Amino acid sequence: MTTFIHLHLHLLVLQIFICANANIEDDALYALRRGVNDPTNVLQSWDPTLVDPCIWFHVTCDSDNQVTRLDLGNAKLSGNLVPELWKLERLEYLELYRNNFVGTIPSQLGGLKNLISLDLFHNNLTGFIPPSLSKLSHVKFMRLNGNKLTGRIPKDLTKLPNLKIFDVSNNDLCGTFPTWGSFSNLTEESFKNNPRLQGPELMGSVRHNDSDGN
């Protein structure tokens, strides 16, 4: 009898945990829906009264009913990216390319600890590349090309252990780009068409300022 009660309690706690996670993810996705313009109604199935977001179109979940993919490339969406997306703790693929997103890349996206692919290319994003993206230790693909990003490339991104593809071409970045760590295998194609980007910075190179007299 005691074993049966313990088992029943365990299942009840597990059910509450799954429902709580579903609600958190539901809230995160619905925040995105509220924050964007959706002229072709691709997000029409994102109904907050349906507790399980895994039945929504363009959303993929794992066996625990937690969101692992958002596939919204070429969806004609416009508006801002919402910081609530970081609540999708098991998200592996964030595919938001070829839309008309504006504003900055939320620094909170650095909290997506399981992210493998961050594809935000061909939007109208502005502002800096958040240094917090250097926390994405599983990321292999980071494509931010074809936006209006400014500022310098955060050097901590060179510490990403699994990075295979990094593309920031066709932006308005400035300064130099690192050539060490995970960036050592990248070609200059990854950085092309940034008029204010001066070129590669070699590790250990010494920068002189005017006060040095050089």
Side-chain angles (χ1 to χ4, degrees):
M1 185 70 176
T2 304
T3 303
F4 175 77
I5 293 172
H6 284 163
L7 180 61
H8 182 72
L9 286 173
H10 177 74
L11 291 173
L12 185 62
V13 169
L14 184 63
Q15 188 175 15
I16 292 171
F17 175 76
I18 290 172
C19 287
N21 272 338
N23 285 334
I24 290 170
E25 298 197 325
D26 180 27
D27 290 346
L29 293 175
Y30 198 61
L32 178 63
R33 181 182 175 180
R34 288 197 314 269
V36 302
N37 297 314
D38 178 20
T40 57
N41 291 322
V42 296
L43 304 180
Q44 189 171 14
S45 66
W46 290 27
D47 183 349
T49 63
L50 302 175
V51 175
D52 184 6
C54 298
I55 63 174
W56 297 355
F57 291 145
H58 313 291
V59 176
T60 303
C61 294
D62 61 15
S63 57
D64 295 325
N65 280 359
Q66 289 194 265
V67 178
T68 57
R69 291 188 69 112
L70 277 187
D71 289 295
L72 289 168
N74 285 308
K76 296 183 171 62
L77 301 175
S78 61
N80 293 336
L81 298 178
V82 294
E84 287 87 348
L85 289 173
W86 76 270
K87 296 177 181 178
L88 304 173
E89 289 189 354
R90 293 200 193 174
L91 192 67
E92 296 178 355
Y93 295 87
L94 183 56
E95 307 298 321
L96 300 177
Y97 56 87
R98 296 188 189 280
N99 284 289
N100 192 29
F101 286 109
V102 296
T104 59
I105 300 173
S107 61
Q108 291 88 345
L109 296 188
L112 293 171
K113 58 186 178 181
N114 290 302
L115 201 66
I116 293 172
S117 179
L118 177 62
D119 280 328
L120 304 178
F121 60 88
H122 293 304
N123 280 284
N124 281 296
L125 296 168
T126 55
F128 299 160
I129 299 172
S132 61
L133 298 185
S134 63
K135 298 177 184 177
L136 300 175
S137 59
H138 287 88
V139 78
K140 293 182 179 179
F141 314 105
M142 188 181 297
R143 287 173 278 234
L144 310 176
N145 49 298
N147 282 287
K148 298 175 181 177
L149 299 173
T150 54
R152 295 177 176 272
I153 298 168
K155 292 180 182 178
D156 279 352
L157 295 178
T158 63
K159 299 175 183 177
L160 291 170
N162 295 298
L163 191 65
K164 304 296 182 191
I165 293 177
F166 178 79
D167 193 347
V168 291
S169 60
N170 297 288
N171 279 289
D172 193 23
L173 300 170
C174 64
T176 57
F177 56 84
T179 56
W180 57 87
S182 58
F183 279 37
S184 61
N185 295 319
L186 301 178
T187 68
E188 295 201 12
E189 289 291 304
S190 298
F191 309 98
K192 69 180 183 180
N193 295 334
N194 283 276
R196 298 191 297 144
L197 200 59
Q198 298 165 14
E201 178 181 343
L202 300 178
M203 192 171 186
S205 62
V206 178
R207 285 182 160 275
H208 297 290
N209 57 37
D210 293 338
S211 63
D212 292 327
N214 293 307

